[in-house]
């Protein structure tokens, strides 16, 4: 079956629907083709950058919905582990189960966050405890649509029946007395199948350049996520990634970089 037709059938009403709009046009042909292109590109070259207009079309997200999503970043909690490395970072954490063929997205019980060996050198075997996602964030329609889109992309990397979805909203504070490191661990993996980074907002910051590397450490792509709604996707099994520090553009006031990191791992 043609790949675009297969996705279109899921988006039109299969047991696991594809990306869908709250009140938009996620079922249109352009959105279907965009998701298929993302899936093929991540599978073939290891990464893909989706522009905001394309992502909004795929998710069916209106400007008011993006503004509502942005509001959740005002209710994050301090990350004590990043503070140990000299960075002021806020975050929360949550897990979901995404079945490929049947049922809906199910929140999973909150638990400690541990990354596998050979992934994050700074936190090997460290049980990190973060505050859970708020109820409003877990119920966010934009998050639901994004998870479904990521499931479609991940299907091009692994024929899994179920995905463990880990959701990390981050705010890195940029100020003169902080290192402002979005990735204190440097170049690393997350120990999953698919990694995504969605820019939610940037205020009074410079830096924050995202780089994707191949297995040998050669640079595959480097970009500064500057426009909210930009989505960077990468195959975590085949690539490594890192983000450069952020600094305040105006030293007289703090700034911040807000992203939503969402990962999928085959269960």
């Amino acid at each position: 079956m043609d790949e675009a037709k297969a996705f279109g059938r899921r988006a039109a009403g299969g047991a696991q629907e594809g990306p869908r709009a709250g009140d938009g046009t996620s079922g249109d042909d352009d959105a279907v083709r965009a998701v298929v292109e993302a899936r093929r590109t991540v599978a073939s070259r290891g990464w893909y950058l989706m522009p905001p207009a394309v992502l909004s079309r795929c998710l069916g997200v209106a400007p008011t919905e993006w503004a509502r999503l942005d509001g959740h970043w005002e209710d994050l909690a301090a990350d004590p582990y990043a503070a140990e490395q000299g960075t002021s970072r806020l975050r929360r954490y949550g897990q979901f189960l995404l079945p490929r063929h049947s049922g809906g997205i199910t929140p999973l019980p909150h638990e400690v966050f541990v990354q596998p060996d050979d992934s994050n050198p700074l936190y090997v075997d460290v049980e990190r405890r973060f505050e859970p996602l708020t109820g409003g964030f877990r119920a966010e329609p934009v998050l639901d649509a994004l998870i479904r889109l990521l499931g479609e992309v991940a299907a091009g990397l692994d024929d899994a029946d179920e995905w463990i979805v880990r959701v990390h909203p981050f705010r890195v504070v940029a100020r003169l007395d902080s290192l402002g490191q979005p990735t204190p661990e440097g170049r690393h993996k997350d120990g999953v199948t698919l990694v995504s980074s969605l820019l939610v907002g940037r205020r009074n910051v410079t830096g924050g350049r995202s780089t994707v590397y191949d297995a040998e450490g050669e640079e595959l792509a480097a970009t500064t996520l500057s426009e909210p709604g930009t989505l960077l996707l990468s195959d975590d099994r085949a690539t490594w990634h890192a983000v450069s520090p952020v600094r305040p553009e105006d030293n007289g006031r703090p700034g911040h970089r807000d992203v939503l990191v969402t990962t999928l791992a085959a269960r």
Side-chain angles (χ1 to χ4, degrees):
M1 179 183 295
D2 178 81
E3 204 170 0
K5 290 180 181 178
F7 169 73
R9 290 176 66 178
R10 286 192 290 274
Q16 180 192 318
E17 298 175 4
R20 57 183 180 178
D23 2 72
T25 57
S26 65
D28 68 30
D29 290 344
D30 287 345
V32 170
R33 284 193 290 268
V35 176
V36 171
E37 179 186 0
R39 178 166 56 195
R40 288 175 174 167
T41 305
V42 173
S44 62
R45 73 178 183 186
W47 67 277
Y48 180 76
L49 187 68
M50 183 174 285
V54 176
L55 180 63
S56 292
R57 185 181 303 121
C58 291
L59 301 184
V61 173
T64 54
E65 293 177 284
W66 282 122
R68 187 187 62 229
L69 178 71
D70 181 75
H72 293 293
W73 268 253
E74 300 305 320
D75 194 19
L76 301 183
D79 178 347
Y81 306 96
E84 292 173 355
Q85 307 301 319
T87 288
S88 177
R89 184 166 74 179
L90 308 174
R91 69 185 296 174
R92 287 184 181 271
Y93 168 61
Q95 293 188 104
F96 299 83
L97 181 65
L98 174 67
R100 182 173 182 182
H101 299 297
S102 63
I105 300 170
T106 304
L108 295 175
H110 191 63
E111 58 183 34
V112 298
F113 179 55
V114 181
Q115 290 179 278
D117 292 344
D118 302 323
S119 59
N120 189 325
L122 187 58
Y123 298 114
V124 171
D125 294 328
V126 176
E127 294 186 349
R128 287 185 284 170
R129 290 171 168 80
F130 301 114
E131 292 297 314
L133 300 176
T134 64
F137 199 105
R138 288 197 303 271
E140 175 58 57
V142 177
L143 177 63
D144 182 280
L146 177 65
I147 289 174
R148 293 179 186 279
L149 182 150
L150 296 177
E152 291 292 338
V153 175
L157 303 177
D158 196 332
D159 190 26
D161 289 330
E162 293 181 315
W163 298 99
I164 299 294
V165 182
R166 296 182 175 91
V167 176
H168 311 260
F170 287 103
R171 167 171 287 179
V172 174
V173 179
R175 60 190 189 202
L176 292 179
D177 62 348
S178 172
L179 295 179
Q181 294 178 321
T183 54
E185 57 274 81
R187 189 172 64 196
H188 68 286
K189 291 174 174 284
D190 283 13
V192 297
T193 302
L194 178 71
V195 173
S196 73
S197 183
L198 170 66
L199 181 69
V200 174
R202 288 173 61 102
R203 292 174 178 84
N204 189 39
V205 295
T206 61
R209 189 166 179 81
S210 301
T211 305
V212 180
Y213 305 87
D214 66 15
E216 285 71 44
E218 295 295 322
E219 183 179 303
L220 292 176
T223 182
T224 300
L225 305 180
S226 57
E227 186 177 355
T230 306
L231 180 68
L232 178 62
L233 303 159
S234 60
D235 179 351
D236 194 57
R237 305 164 309 169
T239 65
W240 299 74
H241 59 275
V243 183
S244 69
V246 295
R247 297 284 185 267
E249 193 168 33
D250 175 358
N251 290 334
R253 57 192 178 91
H256 60 258
R257 176 182 183 267
D258 294 348
V259 298
L260 177 61
V261 174
T262 307
T263 69
L264 272 68
R267 187 177 188 183

